Coordinates of all heavy atoms in Angstrom, one line a residue:
M1 N 0.9 -1.2 0.0 CA 0.0 0.0 -0.1 C 0.9 1.2 0.0 O 0.4 2.3 -0.4 CB -1.0 0.0 1.2 CG -2.2 0.7 1.1 SD -3.1 0.1 -0.4 CE -4.7 0.9 -0.1
E2 N 2.1 1.1 0.4 CA 3.1 2.2 0.5 C 3.1 2.7 -0.9 O 3.2 4.1 -1.1 CB 4.4 1.8 1.0 CG 5.4 2.8 1.2 CD 6.7 2.3 1.7 OE1 6.6 1.6 2.8 OE2 7.8 2.6 1.2
E3 N 3.4 1.9 -2.0 CA 3.5 2.5 -3.3 C 2.3 3.2 -3.8 O 2.5 4.2 -4.4 CB 3.8 1.3 -4.2 CG 4.1 1.7 -5.7 CD 5.4 2.5 -5.9 OE1 6.3 2.5 -5.0 OE2 5.4 3.2 -6.9
V4 N 1.1 2.8 -3.4 CA -0.1 3.4 -3.8 C -0.2 4.9 -3.3 O -0.4 5.8 -3.9 CB -1.4 2.7 -3.3 CG1 -2.6 3.5 -3.5 CG2 -1.5 1.3 -4.0
E5 N 0.2 5.0 -1.9 CA 0.2 6.3 -1.3 C 1.3 7.2 -2.0 O 1.1 8.4 -2.1 CB 0.5 6.2 0.1 CG -0.7 5.6 0.9 CD -2.0 6.4 0.7 OE1 -1.9 7.7 0.8 OE2 -3.0 5.6 0.5
K6 N 2.4 6.7 -2.4 CA 3.5 7.4 -3.1 C 2.9 7.9 -4.4 O 3.0 9.2 -4.7 CB 4.7 6.6 -3.3 CG 5.8 7.2 -3.8 CD 7.1 6.4 -4.0 CE 8.1 7.0 -4.8 NZ 9.2 6.1 -5.2
V7 N 2.3 7.1 -5.1 CA 1.7 7.5 -6.5 C 0.6 8.6 -6.3 O 0.4 9.4 -7.0 CB 1.4 6.3 -7.3 CG1 0.5 6.7 -8.6 CG2 2.5 5.3 -7.6
K8 N -0.2 8.2 -5.3 CA -1.3 9.1 -5.0 C -0.8 10.6 -4.7 O -1.3 11.5 -5.3 CB -2.2 8.7 -3.9 CG -3.4 9.6 -3.5 CD -4.1 9.0 -2.3 CE -5.0 10.0 -1.8 NZ -5.8 9.6 -0.5
A9 N 0.2 10.7 -3.9 CA 0.9 11.9 -3.5 C 1.4 12.6 -4.7 O 1.2 13.9 -4.9 CB 2.0 11.7 -2.5
E10 N 2.0 11.8 -5.6 CA 2.5 12.4 -6.8 C 1.5 12.8 -7.7 O 1.7 14.1 -8.3 CB 3.4 11.3 -7.6 CG 4.2 11.8 -8.7 CD 5.1 10.8 -9.4 OE1 5.5 10.0 -8.7 OE2 5.2 10.8 -10.6
A11 N 0.5 12.1 -7.8 CA -0.6 12.6 -8.7 C -1.4 13.8 -8.2 O -1.7 14.6 -9.0 CB -1.7 11.4 -8.9
L12 N -1.5 13.9 -6.8 CA -2.1 15.0 -6.2 C -1.3 16.2 -6.5 O -1.7 17.4 -6.6 CB -2.3 14.8 -4.7 CG -3.5 13.9 -4.4 CD1 -3.5 13.5 -2.9 CD2 -4.9 14.3 -4.9
Q13 N 0.0 16.2 -6.4 CA 0.9 17.1 -6.7 C 0.8 17.8 -8.1 O 0.6 19.0 -8.3 CB 2.4 16.8 -6.5 CG 3.4 17.9 -6.6 CD 4.7 17.5 -6.3 OE1 5.1 16.3 -6.3 NE2 5.8 18.4 -6.1
I14 N 0.6 16.8 -9.1 CA 0.4 17.2 -10.4 C -1.0 17.8 -10.6 O -1.2 18.9 -11.2 CB 0.5 16.0 -11.5 CG1 2.0 15.6 -11.4 CG2 -0.1 16.3 -12.8 CD1 2.2 14.2 -12.0
I15 N -2.0 17.3 -10.0 CA -3.4 17.9 -10.1 C -3.4 19.3 -9.4 O -4.0 20.1 -10.0 CB -4.4 16.9 -9.4 CG1 -4.5 15.6 -10.1 CG2 -5.8 17.6 -9.1 CD1 -5.3 14.5 -9.4
G16 N -2.7 19.4 -8.4 CA -2.6 20.8 -7.7 C -2.1 21.9 -8.5 O -2.4 23.1 -8.1
V17 N -1.4 21.7 -9.6 CA -0.9 22.7 -10.5 C -2.1 23.4 -11.2 O -1.9 24.5 -11.6 CB 0.1 22.1 -11.4 CG1 0.5 23.1 -12.5 CG2 1.4 21.6 -10.7
F18 N -3.1 22.7 -11.5 CA -4.3 23.1 -12.3 C -5.4 23.9 -11.5 O -5.7 23.4 -10.5 CB -4.8 22.1 -13.1 CG -3.8 21.4 -14.1 CD1 -3.1 20.3 -13.7 CD2 -3.4 21.9 -15.3 CE1 -2.2 19.7 -14.5 CE2 -2.5 21.5 -16.1 CZ -1.8 20.3 -15.7
Q19 N -5.9 25.0 -12.0 CA -7.0 25.7 -11.4 C -8.2 25.1 -11.7 O -9.2 24.9 -10.9 CB -7.0 27.1 -11.7 CG -5.8 27.9 -11.2 CD -5.8 29.4 -11.6 OE1 -6.7 29.8 -12.4 NE2 -4.8 30.2 -11.1
L20 N -8.5 24.6 -12.9 CA -9.6 24.0 -13.5 C -9.3 22.4 -13.5 O -8.4 22.1 -14.2 CB -10.1 24.6 -14.8 CG -10.8 25.8 -14.8 CD1 -11.0 26.3 -16.2 CD2 -12.1 25.8 -14.0
L21 N -10.3 21.7 -13.0 CA -10.1 20.3 -13.0 C -11.4 19.7 -13.7 O -12.5 20.1 -13.6 CB -9.9 19.7 -11.6 CG -8.7 20.0 -10.9 CD1 -8.7 19.6 -9.5 CD2 -7.4 19.6 -11.5
P22 N -11.2 18.5 -14.3 CA -12.4 17.8 -14.9 C -13.3 17.2 -13.8 O -12.8 17.0 -12.7 CB -11.8 16.7 -15.7 CG -10.6 16.5 -15.0 CD -10.0 17.8 -14.5
K23 N -14.6 17.1 -14.0 CA -15.5 16.5 -13.1 C -15.6 15.1 -13.4 O -15.9 14.3 -12.4 CB -16.9 17.1 -13.4 CG -16.9 18.6 -13.1 CD -18.4 19.0 -13.1 CE -18.5 20.5 -12.9 NZ -18.3 21.0 -11.6
L24 N -14.9 14.5 -14.6 CA -14.9 13.1 -14.8 C -13.8 12.8 -15.7 O -13.5 13.5 -16.7 CB -16.3 12.7 -15.6 CG -16.4 11.4 -16.2 CD1 -16.8 10.4 -15.0 CD2 -17.6 11.2 -17.2
V25 N -13.2 11.6 -15.4 CA -12.1 11.1 -16.2 C -12.5 9.7 -16.7 O -13.0 8.9 -15.8 CB -10.7 10.9 -15.4 CG1 -9.7 10.3 -16.2 CG2 -10.3 12.3 -14.9
V26 N -12.5 9.4 -17.9 CA -13.0 8.2 -18.4 C -11.7 7.3 -18.9 O -10.9 7.8 -19.5 CB -13.9 8.4 -19.6 CG1 -14.4 7.0 -20.1 CG2 -15.1 9.2 -19.3
F27 N -11.8 6.1 -18.4 CA -10.7 5.2 -18.7 C -11.2 4.0 -19.5 O -12.2 3.6 -19.3 CB -10.2 4.5 -17.2 CG -9.5 5.5 -16.4 CD1 -10.1 6.1 -15.4 CD2 -8.1 5.6 -16.4 CE1 -9.5 7.0 -14.5 CE2 -7.4 6.6 -15.6 CZ -8.1 7.2 -14.7
D28 N -10.2 3.5 -20.4 CA -10.4 2.3 -21.0 C -9.8 1.3 -20.1 O -9.2 1.7 -19.0 CB -9.6 2.3 -22.3 CG -9.8 1.0 -23.2 OD1 -10.7 0.2 -22.8 OD2 -9.2 0.9 -24.2
L29 N -9.9 0.0 -20.3 CA -9.5 -1.0 -19.4 C -8.2 -1.6 -19.8 O -7.1 -1.5 -19.4 CB -10.4 -2.1 -19.1 CG -11.6 -1.6 -18.5 CD1 -12.7 -2.8 -18.3 CD2 -11.4 -1.2 -17.0
D30 N -8.2 -2.3 -21.1 CA -7.1 -3.0 -21.6 C -6.0 -2.1 -22.1 O -6.2 -1.2 -22.9 CB -7.6 -3.9 -22.9 CG -8.6 -4.9 -22.5 OD1 -8.7 -5.3 -21.3 OD2 -9.3 -5.3 -23.4
Y31 N -4.8 -2.3 -21.5 CA -3.6 -1.5 -21.8 C -3.8 -0.1 -21.3 O -3.0 0.7 -22.0 CB -3.1 -1.7 -23.2 CG -2.4 -3.0 -23.5 CD1 -3.2 -4.1 -24.0 CD2 -1.2 -3.2 -23.1 CE1 -2.6 -5.4 -24.1 CE2 -0.5 -4.4 -23.2 CZ -1.3 -5.5 -23.7 OH -0.7 -6.8 -23.8
T32 N -4.7 0.2 -20.5 CA -4.9 1.4 -19.8 C -4.8 1.3 -18.3 O -3.7 1.9 -17.7 CB -6.2 2.1 -20.2 OG1 -6.3 2.4 -21.6 CG2 -6.3 3.6 -19.6
L33 N -5.6 0.6 -17.8 CA -5.5 0.2 -16.4 C -4.7 -1.0 -16.0 O -4.1 -1.2 -15.1 CB -6.9 0.1 -15.8 CG -7.6 1.5 -15.5 CD1 -9.0 1.1 -15.0 CD2 -6.9 2.4 -14.7
W34 N -4.8 -2.0 -17.0 CA -4.0 -3.2 -16.8 C -3.4 -3.6 -18.2 O -3.7 -3.2 -19.2 CB -4.9 -4.4 -16.4 CG -6.2 -4.6 -17.1 CD1 -6.3 -4.9 -18.4 CD2 -7.5 -4.7 -16.4 NE1 -7.7 -5.1 -18.7 CE2 -8.3 -5.0 -17.4 CE3 -7.9 -4.5 -15.2 CZ2 -9.7 -5.1 -17.2 CZ3 -9.3 -4.7 -15.0 CH2 -10.2 -4.9 -16.0
P35 N -2.3 -4.3 -18.1 CA -1.3 -4.6 -19.3 C -1.6 -5.8 -20.1 O -0.8 -6.7 -20.3 CB 0.0 -4.6 -18.7 CG -0.1 -5.2 -17.4 CD -1.5 -4.7 -16.9
F36 N -2.9 -6.0 -20.4 CA -3.3 -7.1 -21.2 C -4.6 -7.0 -21.9 O -5.5 -5.9 -21.4 CB -3.4 -8.4 -20.3 CG -4.2 -8.2 -18.9 CD1 -5.5 -8.3 -19.0 CD2 -3.4 -8.1 -17.8 CE1 -6.1 -8.2 -17.8 CE2 -4.0 -7.8 -16.7 CZ -5.5 -7.9 -16.7
Y37 N -5.1 -7.7 -22.8 CA -6.5 -7.8 -23.3 C -7.3 -8.7 -22.6 O -6.9 -10.0 -22.4 CB -6.4 -8.1 -24.8 CG -5.8 -7.0 -25.7 CD1 -4.6 -7.3 -26.3 CD2 -6.5 -5.9 -25.9 CE1 -4.0 -6.2 -27.1 CE2 -5.9 -4.9 -26.7 CZ -4.6 -5.1 -27.3 OH -4.2 -4.2 -28.1
C38 N -8.5 -8.4 -22.1 CA -9.3 -9.3 -21.4 C -9.6 -10.6 -22.3 O -9.7 -11.7 -21.7 CB -10.6 -8.7 -20.9 SG -10.5 -7.6 -19.6
E39 N -9.8 -10.5 -23.5 CA -10.3 -11.6 -24.3 C -9.1 -12.6 -24.5 O -9.4 -13.7 -24.9 CB -10.7 -11.1 -25.7 CG -9.7 -10.4 -26.5 CD -9.8 -8.9 -26.4 OE1 -10.2 -8.4 -25.5 OE2 -9.3 -8.3 -27.5
C40 N -7.9 -12.3 -24.0 CA -6.8 -13.2 -24.1 C -6.6 -13.9 -22.8 O -5.6 -14.8 -22.6 CB -5.5 -12.5 -24.5 SG -5.6 -11.8 -26.2
R41 N -7.6 -13.7 -21.8 CA -7.4 -14.3 -20.5 C -8.7 -14.9 -20.1 O -9.7 -14.9 -20.8 CB -7.0 -13.2 -19.5 CG -5.7 -12.5 -20.0 CD -5.2 -11.6 -19.1 NE -5.0 -12.1 -17.7 CZ -3.9 -12.1 -17.0 NH1 -2.8 -11.9 -17.6 NH2 -3.9 -12.4 -15.8
S42 N -8.7 -15.6 -18.9 CA -9.8 -16.4 -18.4 C -10.4 -15.7 -17.1 O -9.5 -14.9 -16.5 CB -9.5 -17.7 -18.1 OG -10.2 -18.3 -17.2
K43 N -11.6 -15.9 -16.8 CA -12.1 -15.3 -15.5 C -11.4 -15.9 -14.2 O -11.4 -15.3 -13.2 CB -13.6 -15.8 -15.3 CG -14.6 -15.0 -16.1 CD -15.9 -15.3 -15.8 CE -16.9 -14.6 -16.5 NZ -18.3 -14.9 -16.1
H44 N -10.7 -17.0 -14.5 CA -10.0 -17.8 -13.4 C -8.6 -17.1 -13.2 O -8.0 -17.4 -12.1 CB -10.0 -19.2 -13.8 CG -11.3 -19.8 -13.8 ND1 -12.3 -19.9 -12.9 CD2 -12.0 -20.3 -15.0 CE1 -13.4 -20.4 -13.3 NE2 -13.2 -20.6 -14.7
D45 N -8.1 -16.4 -14.1 CA -6.8 -15.7 -13.9 C -6.8 -14.7 -12.8 O -7.9 -14.2 -12.5 CB -6.3 -15.2 -15.3 CG -6.0 -16.2 -16.3 OD1 -5.7 -17.2 -16.0 OD2 -6.2 -15.7 -17.5
T46 N -5.6 -14.4 -12.4 CA -5.5 -13.3 -11.4 C -5.0 -12.1 -12.0 O -3.9 -12.0 -12.6 CB -4.5 -13.8 -10.3 OG1 -4.8 -15.0 -9.6 CG2 -4.2 -12.7 -9.2
P47 N -6.0 -11.2 -12.2 CA -5.6 -9.8 -12.8 C -4.7 -9.0 -12.0 O -4.6 -9.2 -10.7 CB -6.9 -9.2 -13.0 CG -7.7 -9.7 -11.7 CD -7.3 -11.1 -11.6
Y48 N -4.0 -8.0 -12.6 CA -3.2 -7.1 -11.9 C -3.2 -5.8 -12.7 O -3.4 -5.7 -13.9 CB -1.8 -7.6 -11.8 CG -1.1 -8.0 -13.1 CD1 -0.2 -7.1 -13.9 CD2 -1.4 -9.2 -13.6 CE1 0.2 -7.5 -15.1 CE2 -0.9 -9.7 -14.8 CZ -0.1 -8.8 -15.6 OH 0.6 -9.2 -16.8
L49 N -3.0 -4.7 -12.1 CA -3.0 -3.4 -12.7 C -1.7 -2.9 -13.1 O -0.6 -3.5 -12.4 CB -3.6 -2.4 -11.7 CG -5.0 -2.6 -11.1 CD1 -5.3 -1.6 -10.0 CD2 -6.0 -2.4 -12.4
F50 N -1.5 -1.9 -13.9 CA -0.3 -1.1 -14.1 C 0.1 -0.6 -12.7 O -0.8 -0.3 -11.9 CB -0.5 -0.1 -15.1 CG -0.4 -0.5 -16.5 CD1 -1.3 -0.3 -17.4 CD2 0.9 -0.9 -17.0 CE1 -1.3 -0.7 -18.7 CE2 1.0 -1.4 -18.4 CZ -0.1 -1.2 -19.2
P51 N 1.5 -0.5 -12.5 CA 1.8 -0.1 -11.1 C 1.2 1.2 -10.5 O 1.0 1.4 -9.4 CB 3.3 0.0 -11.2 CG 3.7 -0.9 -12.3 CD 2.6 -0.8 -13.3
H52 N 0.9 2.2 -11.5 CA 0.5 3.5 -11.0 C -1.1 3.7 -11.0 O -1.6 4.7 -10.5 CB 0.9 4.6 -11.8 CG 2.4 4.8 -11.6 ND1 3.4 4.0 -12.1 CD2 3.1 5.7 -10.9 CE1 4.6 4.3 -11.6 NE2 4.4 5.4 -11.0
S53 N -1.8 2.7 -11.6 CA -3.2 2.8 -11.7 C -4.1 3.0 -10.4 O -4.8 4.0 -10.3 CB -3.8 1.5 -12.4 OG -3.4 1.4 -13.7
R54 N -3.7 2.2 -9.4 CA -4.5 2.4 -8.2 C -4.3 3.7 -7.5 O -5.2 4.3 -7.1 CB -4.1 1.2 -7.2 CG -5.1 1.1 -6.1 CD -4.8 -0.2 -5.3 NE -4.8 -1.4 -6.0 CZ -5.9 -2.2 -6.2 NH1 -7.2 -1.7 -5.6 NH2 -5.9 -3.3 -6.8
G55 N -3.0 4.2 -7.5 CA -2.6 5.4 -6.9 C -3.4 6.6 -7.6 O -3.8 7.6 -6.9
I56 N -3.4 6.5 -8.9 CA -4.0 7.5 -9.7 C -5.5 7.5 -9.4 O -6.1 8.7 -9.2 CB -3.8 7.4 -11.2 CG1 -2.3 7.8 -11.5 CG2 -4.6 8.3 -12.0 CD1 -1.8 7.3 -12.8
L57 N -6.2 6.4 -9.4 CA -7.7 6.4 -9.1 C -7.9 6.9 -7.6 O -8.9 7.7 -7.4 CB -8.1 4.9 -9.1 CG -8.2 4.3 -10.6 CD1 -8.4 2.8 -10.5 CD2 -9.2 5.0 -11.4
H58 N -7.0 6.6 -6.7 CA -7.2 7.2 -5.4 C -7.1 8.7 -5.2 O -7.8 9.4 -4.6 CB -6.3 6.5 -4.3 CG -6.7 5.1 -4.0 ND1 -7.8 4.9 -3.0 CD2 -6.4 3.9 -4.3 CE1 -8.0 3.6 -2.9 NE2 -7.1 2.9 -3.8
A59 N -6.1 9.3 -6.1 CA -5.9 10.6 -6.1 C -7.1 11.3 -6.7 O -7.5 12.4 -6.1 CB -4.7 10.9 -6.9
L60 N -7.7 10.8 -7.8 CA -8.8 11.4 -8.5 C -10.0 11.4 -7.4 O -10.7 12.4 -7.3 CB -9.2 10.7 -9.6 CG -8.2 10.7 -10.8 CD1 -8.7 9.7 -12.0 CD2 -8.2 12.2 -11.3
K61 N -10.2 10.3 -6.7 CA -11.3 10.1 -5.8 C -11.1 11.2 -4.7 O -12.1 11.8 -4.2 CB -11.4 8.7 -5.3 CG -12.5 8.5 -4.4 CD -12.7 7.1 -4.0 CE -13.8 6.9 -3.1 NZ -14.8 6.0 -3.6
S62 N -9.9 11.3 -4.2 CA -9.7 12.3 -3.0 C -10.0 13.8 -3.5 O -10.2 14.6 -2.6 CB -8.3 12.2 -2.5 OG -7.3 12.8 -3.4
Q63 N -9.9 14.0 -4.6 CA -10.2 15.5 -5.2 C -11.6 15.5 -5.7 O -12.0 16.5 -6.4 CB -9.3 15.7 -6.3 CG -7.8 15.9 -5.9 CD -7.6 17.1 -4.9 OE1 -8.0 18.1 -5.2 NE2 -7.3 16.7 -3.7
N64 N -12.4 14.6 -5.5 CA -13.8 14.4 -5.9 C -14.0 14.5 -7.5 O -14.9 15.1 -8.0 CB -14.7 15.6 -5.3 CG -14.8 15.4 -3.8 OD1 -15.0 14.3 -3.4 ND2 -14.6 16.4 -3.0
I65 N -13.0 14.0 -8.1 CA -13.1 13.8 -9.6 C -13.5 12.4 -10.0 O -12.9 11.4 -9.5 CB -11.7 14.0 -10.3 CG1 -11.1 15.5 -9.9 CG2 -11.7 13.8 -11.8 CD1 -9.7 15.7 -10.3
H66 N -14.7 12.3 -10.5 CA -15.3 11.1 -10.8 C -14.5 10.2 -11.9 O -13.9 10.9 -12.7 CB -16.9 11.2 -11.3 CG -17.7 11.7 -10.1 ND1 -17.9 11.0 -9.1 CD2 -18.3 12.9 -10.2 CE1 -18.8 11.8 -8.3 NE2 -19.0 12.9 -9.0
A67 N -14.5 9.0 -11.8 CA -13.9 8.2 -12.8 C -15.1 7.2 -13.4 O -15.9 6.7 -12.7 CB -12.8 7.3 -12.2
A68 N -14.9 6.9 -14.7 CA -15.7 5.9 -15.4 C -14.9 5.1 -16.2 O -13.8 5.3 -16.5 CB -16.8 6.8 -16.2
I69 N -15.6 4.1 -16.7 CA -15.0 3.2 -17.7 C -15.7 3.0 -19.0 O -17.0 2.9 -18.9 CB -15.0 1.7 -17.1 CG1 -14.2 1.6 -15.8 CG2 -14.5 0.7 -18.2 CD1 -14.4 0.3 -15.1
A70 N -15.1 3.2 -20.2 CA -15.7 3.0 -21.5 C -14.7 2.1 -22.1 O -13.6 2.3 -22.5 CB -15.8 4.4 -22.2
S71 N -15.2 0.8 -22.3 CA -14.4 -0.3 -22.9 C -15.0 -0.9 -24.2 O -16.2 -0.9 -24.2 CB -14.2 -1.4 -22.0 OG -13.4 -2.4 -22.4
K72 N -14.1 -1.3 -25.1 CA -14.6 -2.0 -26.2 C -14.3 -3.5 -26.2 O -14.2 -4.2 -27.2 CB -14.0 -1.5 -27.5 CG -14.4 -0.1 -27.8 CD -14.0 0.5 -29.2 CE -12.8 -0.1 -29.8 NZ -12.4 0.4 -31.1
S73 N -14.1 -3.9 -24.9 CA -13.8 -5.4 -24.8 C -14.9 -6.3 -25.3 O -15.9 -6.2 -24.9 CB -13.5 -5.7 -23.2 OG -13.2 -7.2 -23.0
P74 N -14.5 -7.3 -26.1 CA -15.5 -8.2 -26.6 C -15.9 -9.3 -25.4 O -16.8 -10.2 -25.6 CB -14.8 -8.9 -27.7 CG -13.4 -8.9 -27.4 CD -13.2 -7.5 -26.6
T75 N -15.2 -9.2 -24.2 CA -15.5 -10.0 -23.2 C -15.7 -9.2 -21.9 O -15.0 -9.2 -20.9 CB -14.3 -11.0 -22.9 OG1 -13.2 -10.2 -22.7 CG2 -14.1 -12.0 -24.0
P76 N -16.9 -8.5 -21.9 CA -17.2 -7.7 -20.7 C -17.3 -8.4 -19.4 O -17.1 -7.9 -18.3 CB -18.4 -6.9 -21.0 CG -19.1 -7.7 -22.2 CD -17.9 -8.4 -22.9
D77 N -17.7 -9.6 -19.5 CA -18.0 -10.5 -18.3 C -16.5 -10.7 -17.7 O -16.5 -10.6 -16.4 CB -18.5 -11.8 -18.6 CG -17.8 -12.6 -19.7 OD1 -17.3 -12.1 -20.6 OD2 -17.8 -13.8 -19.5
I78 N -15.4 -10.9 -18.4 CA -14.2 -11.1 -17.8 C -13.7 -9.7 -17.2 O -13.1 -9.7 -16.1 CB -13.2 -11.6 -18.9 CG1 -13.5 -13.0 -19.3 CG2 -11.8 -11.5 -18.3 CD1 -12.6 -13.6 -20.4
A79 N -13.8 -8.6 -18.0 CA -13.5 -7.3 -17.4 C -14.2 -7.0 -16.2 O -13.5 -6.5 -15.2 CB -13.9 -6.3 -18.4
T80 N -15.5 -7.3 -16.1 CA -16.2 -7.1 -14.8 C -15.6 -7.9 -13.7 O -15.6 -7.5 -12.6 CB -17.7 -7.3 -15.0 OG1 -18.2 -6.5 -16.0 CG2 -18.5 -7.1 -13.7
T81 N -15.4 -9.2 -14.0 CA -14.8 -10.1 -13.0 C -13.4 -9.6 -12.5 O -13.2 -9.6 -11.2 CB -14.6 -11.5 -13.5 OG1 -16.0 -12.0 -13.9 CG2 -14.0 -12.4 -12.6
Y82 N -12.7 -9.0 -13.3 CA -11.4 -8.5 -13.0 C -11.5 -7.2 -12.1 O -10.8 -7.0 -11.1 CB -10.5 -8.2 -14.1 CG -10.0 -9.4 -14.9 CD1 -10.2 -10.8 -14.4 CD2 -9.2 -9.3 -15.9 CE1 -9.7 -11.8 -15.0 CE2 -8.7 -10.4 -16.6 CZ -8.9 -11.7 -16.1 OH -8.4 -12.8 -16.7
L83 N -12.5 -6.3 -12.4 CA -12.7 -5.2 -11.6 C -13.1 -5.5 -10.2 O -12.6 -5.0 -9.2 CB -13.8 -4.3 -12.3 CG -13.4 -3.6 -13.5 CD1 -14.6 -3.0 -14.2 CD2 -12.3 -2.5 -13.4
D84 N -13.9 -6.5 -10.1 CA -14.3 -7.1 -8.7 C -13.2 -7.7 -8.0 O -12.9 -7.4 -6.8 CB -15.5 -8.1 -8.9 CG -16.8 -7.5 -9.3 OD1 -16.9 -6.2 -9.1 OD2 -17.6 -8.1 -9.9
K85 N -12.5 -8.5 -8.7 CA -11.3 -9.3 -8.1 C -10.2 -8.2 -7.6 O -9.6 -8.4 -6.5 CB -10.5 -10.2 -9.1 CG -11.2 -11.5 -9.3 CD -10.4 -12.3 -10.2 CE -11.0 -13.8 -10.2 NZ -10.2 -14.8 -10.9
L86 N -10.1 -7.1 -8.3 CA -9.1 -6.1 -7.9 C -9.7 -5.2 -7.0 O -8.9 -4.3 -6.4 CB -8.7 -5.4 -9.1 CG -7.8 -6.2 -10.1 CD1 -7.8 -5.4 -11.6 CD2 -6.4 -6.2 -9.7
G87 N -11.0 -5.2 -6.6 CA -11.5 -4.3 -5.7 C -11.6 -2.8 -6.0 O -11.6 -2.0 -5.2
I88 N -11.7 -2.6 -7.3 CA -11.8 -1.3 -7.8 C -13.1 -0.9 -8.4 O -13.2 0.4 -8.8 CB -10.6 -0.8 -8.7 CG1 -10.5 -1.7 -10.0 CG2 -9.3 -0.9 -7.9 CD1 -9.6 -1.3 -10.9
R89 N -13.9 -1.8 -8.6 CA -15.1 -1.5 -9.4 C -16.1 -0.3 -8.7 O -16.5 0.4 -9.4 CB -16.0 -2.8 -9.5 CG -17.2 -2.6 -10.4 CD -17.8 -3.8 -10.7 NE -18.8 -3.7 -11.7 CZ -19.7 -4.6 -12.0 NH1 -19.8 -5.8 -11.3 NH2 -20.7 -4.4 -12.9
S90 N -16.1 -0.2 -7.5 CA -16.7 0.9 -6.7 C -16.1 2.2 -6.9 O -16.8 3.2 -6.6 CB -16.8 0.5 -5.3 OG -15.5 0.6 -4.7
M91 N -14.9 2.2 -7.5 CA -14.3 3.5 -7.7 C -14.9 4.3 -9.0 O -14.6 5.5 -9.2 CB -12.8 3.4 -7.8 CG -12.2 2.8 -6.5 SD -10.4 2.9 -6.6 CE -10.1 4.6 -6.1
F92 N -15.7 3.6 -9.8 CA -16.2 4.1 -11.0 C -17.7 4.4 -10.9 O -18.5 3.6 -10.4 CB -15.9 3.1 -12.2 CG -14.4 2.7 -12.3 CD1 -13.9 1.6 -11.8 CD2 -13.7 3.6 -12.9 CE1 -12.5 1.4 -11.9 CE2 -12.3 3.4 -13.1 CZ -11.8 2.3 -12.6
V93 N -18.0 5.6 -11.4 CA -19.4 6.0 -11.3 C -20.2 5.5 -12.5 O -21.5 5.4 -12.4 CB -19.6 7.6 -11.2 CG1 -18.9 8.1 -10.0 CG2 -19.0 8.3 -12.4
A94 N -19.6 5.0 -13.5 CA -20.3 4.5 -14.5 C -19.4 3.6 -15.3 O -18.2 3.7 -15.4 CB -20.8 5.6 -15.6
E95 N -20.0 2.6 -16.0 CA -19.3 1.5 -16.8 C -20.1 1.4 -18.1 O -21.3 1.3 -18.0 CB -19.3 0.2 -16.1 CG -18.5 0.2 -14.8 CD -18.6 -1.2 -14.2 OE1 -18.9 -2.2 -14.9 OE2 -18.5 -1.2 -12.9
T96 N -19.3 1.4 -19.3 CA -20.1 1.1 -20.5 C -19.2 0.2 -21.3 O -18.0 0.3 -21.2 CB -20.5 2.4 -21.2 OG1 -21.4 2.0 -22.3 CG2 -19.4 3.2 -21.7
N97 N -19.8 -0.6 -22.2 CA -19.0 -1.4 -23.2 C -19.6 -1.3 -24.6 O -20.7 -1.4 -24.6 CB -19.2 -2.9 -22.7 CG -18.3 -3.8 -23.5 OD1 -18.7 -4.1 -24.6 ND2 -17.2 -4.2 -23.1
Y98 N -18.8 -0.9 -25.5 CA -19.0 -0.7 -26.8 C -18.6 -1.8 -27.8 O -18.0 -1.6 -28.9 CB -18.5 0.6 -27.3 CG -19.1 1.8 -26.6 CD1 -18.5 2.4 -25.7 CD2 -20.5 2.3 -27.0 CE1 -19.0 3.6 -25.1 CE2 -21.1 3.3 -26.4 CZ -20.4 4.0 -25.3 OH -20.9 5.0 -24.7
S99 N -18.6 -3.1 -27.3 CA -18.1 -4.1 -28.1 C -19.0 -4.5 -29.4 O -18.5 -5.2 -30.3 CB -17.9 -5.3 -27.2 OG -19.1 -6.0 -26.7
N100 N -20.1 -4.0 -29.4 CA -21.0 -4.4 -30.5 C -20.9 -3.4 -31.6 O -20.7 -2.3 -31.6 CB -22.5 -4.5 -30.0 CG -22.8 -5.5 -29.0 OD1 -22.0 -6.5 -29.1 ND2 -23.6 -5.2 -28.2

C-alpha cells in the first residue's frame, strides 16, 4: 500500500498545479488500467493493474473527480470479474461497453 500512497501523492501534486479540474475522467481497461487484453485471458486468472493505476484512481477520488470506464472489450464479463477481483469497481461512477 506504500507504493499506492506514493503514487497518489505524486498525482495530487500534479493535479494541484491546475486551477480547473475535470469533473469526470474516463478510462479504457485493456492496456490503460491493466497490461493485457481481457479476451486473451480467463475469468479464473489473477488480474493485476499497471503499477500506478490504483494510486491515480485514489488521487482522483480524493479530489472528488469522478472516474468511469468506457471499454470495447468483447468479453465484458471477464472485465467485470477483474474489476471485482481487484476491488476497484466501486471507484467508478459508470461503466459502459461498446463491443457491438
Side-chain angles (χ1 to χ4, degrees):
M1 207 56 169
E2 183 179 310
E3 183 65 24
V4 171
E5 290 301 317
K6 181 180 172 190
V7 171
K8 177 182 173 183
E10 185 178 325
L12 286 172
Q13 185 177 13
I14 293 167
I15 289 170
V17 171
F18 299 95
Q19 290 181 359
L20 284 173
L21 296 173
K23 294 187 185 292
L24 176 72
V25 176
V26 182
F27 291 91
D28 189 5
L29 296 173
D30 298 342
Y31 285 96
T32 301
L33 290 181
W34 49 57
F36 48 80
Y37 291 111
C38 288
E39 64 263 27
C40 297
R41 302 189 44 123
S42 160
K43 282 185 180 182
H44 305 291
D45 290 337
T46 301
Y48 54 95
L49 296 169
F50 276 119
H52 290 78
S53 295
R54 195 176 299 272
I56 290 168
L57 290 170
H58 282 282
L60 293 172
K61 185 175 181 112
S62 76
Q63 293 298 301
N64 295 316
I65 300 170
H66 295 295
I69 298 166
S71 178
K72 293 190 333 180
S73 173
T75 54
D77 55 324
I78 294 175
T80 300
T81 298
Y82 286 1
L83 290 168
D84 289 337
K85 282 185 174 186
L86 291 163
I88 61 171
R89 190 167 184 196
S90 65
M91 298 188 85
F92 300 99
V93 296
E95 300 172 21
T96 189
N97 184 283
Y98 294 103
S99 65
N100 299 329

